[in-house]
Amino acid sequence: MTRYWPSPLVIFSACLVLLGAGGPLLLRVYFVHGGQRLWLSTLSQLSGWPLLVPPICVSLFRSRRKGIADRLLPARLVAAVAFLGGLFAVACFVYSLGAQALPVSTSSLLLASQLAFNAVFAFLFAGLRFTPFSTNAVVLLTIGPAVLGVGPSSGRPAGESSSTYWTGFCESIAAAALAGLVLPLVEVAMARYGRRTGAAARAPPPYVTVMQMQVVMGAAGTVVCLLGMAIKGDFQAMPREAAEFGLGKTKYCLVLFFEAVSWQLFNLGIMGLIVCVSSLLAGVMIAVLLPLSEVLAVILLHEKFDGTKGIALVLSLWGFVSYLHGENAQRQRKLEAKKVAQQAAN
């Protein structure tokens, strides 16, 4: 049987997503210890893009003999990705609203429902074809968050009202829906405005393309966040918030810095999966973070992990495994059919 192995770029992108697991934890640390600035917390999810500028410059310099212009993003793709970066900033802001009220273990489970929204929007905009396995995965990853809704009091932090919990619950679902919309639209923008011709069209895009798209998206999202911070007075409030932060002023800065780095690793990995494979695989990798976030939240933040969350976790993992099995079987059938066609031609 012919086996399908992902390309090194896909494996590298998947590893970046996993390395970004600390982002949700540090976001929760910021809120738990006195952080209240929502636009600032949103900025930390998007502002790590300057870290990509040096490797982009090095990559373009090394390819100068082949022509730097061919490595730059087309203007229409830049415009489309910039618009989606602004929309993604809104999604991150809504996610921050939910993360302010919910434990990491709960918000992570709810965010996993983005795969269902991702699949629906990919079907509508990116031409995704459902298989029995992908359908099963979407259903299971939708039921998981619904299970949490059955018994919300079990996941509600001590001292938090039911209305605050339910508001955060709905905000997390809304963030998942927005993220599920943005990912397929990035795939559509790349397919429509980033087409390559000749032999290059058959190979995965160079990773400098992925980094450039992430820089454009991050920069556009950063502009939206800075405007939000200016309107809400976050710049004036930051010194006071840092002085009153529960872990101290130095750790306040460190939390925001490492949160930005963690989210940047996560975002770059997601962008790499979208560009090199599909938005649905990117959504699946977000779901992969679920068990890792659950374990880290219980160990490091001492969050409660009860039966309701356990059932939701099992359903989500079941959906993820179902998707992987279906994708592997489908790719194997395609490779076998291609091999048979080549033998018949010879």
Side-chain angles (χ1 to χ4, degrees):
M1 177 181 292
T2 304
R3 292 191 177 275
Y4 165 77
W5 295 100
S7 70
L9 290 181
V10 174
I11 296 174
F12 177 68
S13 297
C15 291
L16 288 179
V17 174
L18 295 178
L19 289 173
L25 295 175
L26 291 172
L27 179 62
R28 184 60 181 170
V29 168
Y30 168 77
F31 285 127
V32 167
H33 292 281
Q36 297 179 346
R37 315 312 299 182
L38 291 171
W39 279 113
L40 175 61
S41 64
T42 305
L43 179 68
S44 66
Q45 300 174 51
L46 298 165
S47 60
W49 58 269
L51 298 173
L52 301 179
V53 174
I56 289 176
C57 293
V58 171
S59 179
L60 293 177
F61 179 78
R62 292 177 61 182
S63 62
R64 65 190 184 281
R65 293 181 180 178
K66 299 179 182 179
I68 294 179
D70 295 335
R71 294 275 180 149
L72 297 177
L73 299 181
R76 291 192 298 176
L77 180 59
V78 171
V81 173
F83 171 77
L84 293 175
L87 183 59
F88 189 63
V90 176
C92 291
F93 177 76
V94 178
Y95 174 73
S96 295
L97 288 171
Q100 189 178 33
L102 300 178
V104 173
S105 52
T106 302
S107 62
S108 296
L109 284 166
L110 294 175
L111 188 61
S113 65
Q114 58 78 34
L115 182 57
F117 295 106
N118 189 325
V120 172
F121 290 125
F123 172 77
L124 294 175
F125 302 122
L128 172 69
R129 294 184 178 181
F130 282 104
T131 66
F133 291 102
S134 62
T135 302
N136 184 53
V138 169
V139 171
L140 291 172
L141 284 163
T142 303
I143 294 177
V147 170
L148 285 177
V150 173
S153 59
S154 60
R156 189 168 67 240
E160 184 175 281
S161 66
S162 178
S163 61
T164 301
Y165 177 91
W166 272 109
T167 300
F169 189 98
C170 295
E171 288 165 346
S172 295
I173 292 293
L178 286 172
L181 172 63
V182 171
L183 300 188
L185 290 181
V186 171
E187 182 180 358
V188 171
M190 182 62 187
R192 181 170 299 179
Y193 303 124
R195 291 193 185 100
R196 296 183 299 163
T197 59
R202 296 189 292 271
Y207 217 74
V208 67
T209 299
V210 176
M211 291 189 291
Q212 288 181 82
M213 292 182 66
Q214 181 54 44
V215 165
V216 172
M217 198 165 182
T222 298
V223 171
V224 174
C225 293
L226 291 176
L227 289 175
M229 291 176 65
I231 293 173
K232 289 294 185 179
D234 285 8
F235 294 107
Q236 294 80 4
M238 283 177 62
R240 182 177 68 256
E241 183 177 81
E244 298 174 354
F245 193 64
L247 299 177
K249 186 175 182 179
T250 301
K251 290 185 179 180
Y252 175 84
C253 298
L254 290 176
V255 166
L256 292 176
F257 173 77
F258 285 109
E259 184 184 347
V261 172
S262 296
W263 280 113
Q264 183 54 53
L265 293 174
F266 173 83
N267 292 334
L268 180 60
I270 291 299
M271 183 64 74
L273 293 174
I274 295 174
V275 173
C276 296
V277 187
S278 70
S279 59
L280 188 60
L281 179 59
V284 168
M285 277 308 303
I286 295 176
V288 172
L289 280 182
L290 173 61
L292 185 57
S293 297
E294 291 284 343
V295 172
L296 291 176
V298 172
I299 295 176
L300 300 179
L301 302 182
H302 308 292
E303 293 185 355
K304 184 172 63 174
F305 189 84
D306 53 21
T308 303
K309 291 182 181 178
I311 294 173
L313 177 60
V314 169
L315 289 172
S316 298
L317 290 176
W318 183 7
F320 168 65
V321 172
S322 176
Y323 172 83
L324 286 186
H325 178 74
E327 283 295 297
N328 185 56
Q330 187 175 9
R331 290 186 181 275
Q332 286 182 357
R333 286 195 296 269
K334 288 182 179 179
L335 290 173
E336 291 290 347
K338 184 178 180 180
K339 184 178 180 181
V340 171
Q342 289 176 347
Q343 291 176 349
N346 295 332

